[in-house]
Amino acid sequence: QVDLVESGGGLVQAGGSLRLSCTASGLTLPIKIFGWYRQTPGKERELVASITTHAEATNYGNSVQGRFTISRDNAKNTVYLQMNSLKPEDTAVYYCAAGRDTNIYEYWGQGTQVTVSS
């Protein structure tokens, strides 16, 4: 069992920045991938960014490419999402996820609210 705890969400003005953190605890050794997802009411949960734990390969959603950066610190079992140039449409609950397979997210955090005001 892996527990994921997010932090760093909050209220920010358009154009501002936030950094989200996610720390994994428990049986973290098998984790191969970390990801950030976001969800707004009435919409499907969408992948924001992902990063592998060994090769540091990253993927980004088209809407955040060039503005968000995902990184990780394997020694701390922590993944970060640096969000710059935030837009109101970035407002969502952001979820940290992890998986033992590179394309299956088995573990999920509770989510952290990010609100971007106009």
Side-chain angles (χ1 to χ4, degrees):
Q1 180 63 42
V2 175
D3 294 319
L4 303 175
V5 179
E6 303 102 328
S7 63
L11 175 65
V12 66
Q13 296 182 43
S17 299
L18 285 173
R19 188 178 76 160
L20 305 183
S21 299
C22 172
T23 298
S25 61
L27 300 177
T28 59
L29 186 62
I31 293 175
K32 293 184 178 180
I33 190 167
F34 280 108
W36 287 98
Y37 281 76
R38 67 185 183 186
Q39 188 170 32
T40 56
K43 295 183 178 181
E44 298 291 328
R45 187 175 297 183
E46 65 173 337
L47 178 67
V48 177
S50 66
I51 185 168
T52 59
T53 57
H54 60 286
E56 207 169 344
T58 59
N59 281 311
Y60 294 93
N62 291 335
S63 62
V64 306
Q65 180 70 47
R67 298 188 297 120
F68 292 8
T69 302
I70 189 170
S71 61
R72 57 100 176 99
D73 185 336
N74 287 345
K76 297 181 179 180
N77 293 314
T78 299
V79 63
Y80 306 93
L81 184 68
Q82 179 66 47
M83 304 184 293
N84 298 325
S85 301
L86 283 162
K87 305 174 181 179
E89 50 262 44
D90 294 318
T91 295
V93 177
Y94 284 71
Y95 296 89
C96 178
R100 293 176 293 172
D101 196 309
T102 55
N103 65 348
I104 301 175
Y105 292 99
E106 302 171 78
Y107 311 105
W108 294 83
Q110 79 287 352
T112 185
Q113 177 70 45
V114 172
T115 302
V116 184
S117 62
S118 300

